[in-house]
Amino acid sequence: ALGGRYSFAAAGSRQGALVGLELAVAQATIDPDGGRLGVEGRVVGGWGVALTRQWTVLGTVRASWMLDDIDLAAAEDTAAYQARGSGWAVQPEVTVAWSPGGRWRIGLDVGWRVARNTYHGDDIDIDLKESGFVASIGFEYVLSAAPRPLE
């Protein structure tokens, strides 16, 4: 995913609200020989706490809308299926991030994702519902860590 976040933390504060936008390419394999590929736009909101200069903890919720294609291979008694669809997802998560110094940060995200996609094609509609544990590792570049000027 590629995106950005903005923190509303006051100058000198170690915690505060945050918002962000992300754009991601999403891919999933569906056995046997099938899969999904699409693009996902996300809005992120939450709260962050700087434990030290190097360690940060974030609690966030991602709300997503996606467009994707599904491709299911033919089986013994069914034909192949290809369709385009759209859907949404909600993903609450906790992130622990570590900064080795400078402007780089490495984060580990864990959460729970609930998603629903609807596909229309070949006179067949598919309503795909998913939910489950998710985890990811992210690398971030901080554009500016300077506090806003006091007036």
Side-chain angles (χ1 to χ4, degrees):
L2 181 62
R5 293 187 181 169
Y6 180 80
S7 171
F8 292 97
S13 178
R14 297 177 73 148
Q15 61 181 324
L18 61 98
V19 295
L21 296 173
E22 297 176 348
L23 187 62
V25 174
Q27 186 271 335
T29 301
I30 302 172
D31 288 331
D33 303 323
R36 293 177 18 206
L37 179 63
V39 65
E40 187 172 327
R42 302 172 179 159
V43 176
V44 181
W47 194 264
V49 178
L51 301 176
T52 68
R53 289 182 63 80
Q54 289 184 301
W55 290 96
T56 305
V57 176
L58 307 172
T60 59
V61 175
R62 295 175 193 227
S64 308
W65 185 75
M66 59 198 100
L67 289 172
D68 59 354
D69 294 325
I70 191 168
D71 185 6
L72 302 174
E76 213 174 279
D77 54 352
T78 46
Y81 179 79
Q82 294 179 336
R84 177 156 287 159
S86 63
W88 57 265
V90 176
Q91 181 174 322
E93 64 188 10
V94 173
T95 302
V96 175
W98 174 70
S99 177
R103 294 180 175 245
W104 287 99
R105 220 171 16 204
I106 302 166
L108 171 64
D109 307 322
V110 293
W112 190 266
R113 181 177 169 95
V114 175
R116 183 174 185 170
N117 290 61
T118 303
Y119 301 95
H120 307 285
D122 299 333
D123 295 326
I124 299 171
D125 294 339
I126 293 179
D127 191 28
L128 184 62
K129 299 175 187 175
E130 307 172 72
S131 66
F133 173 78
V134 291
S136 62
I137 295 174
F139 299 94
E140 301 174 4
Y141 183 78
V142 179
L143 294 175
S144 173
R148 293 186 297 261
L150 298 173
E151 295 182 18

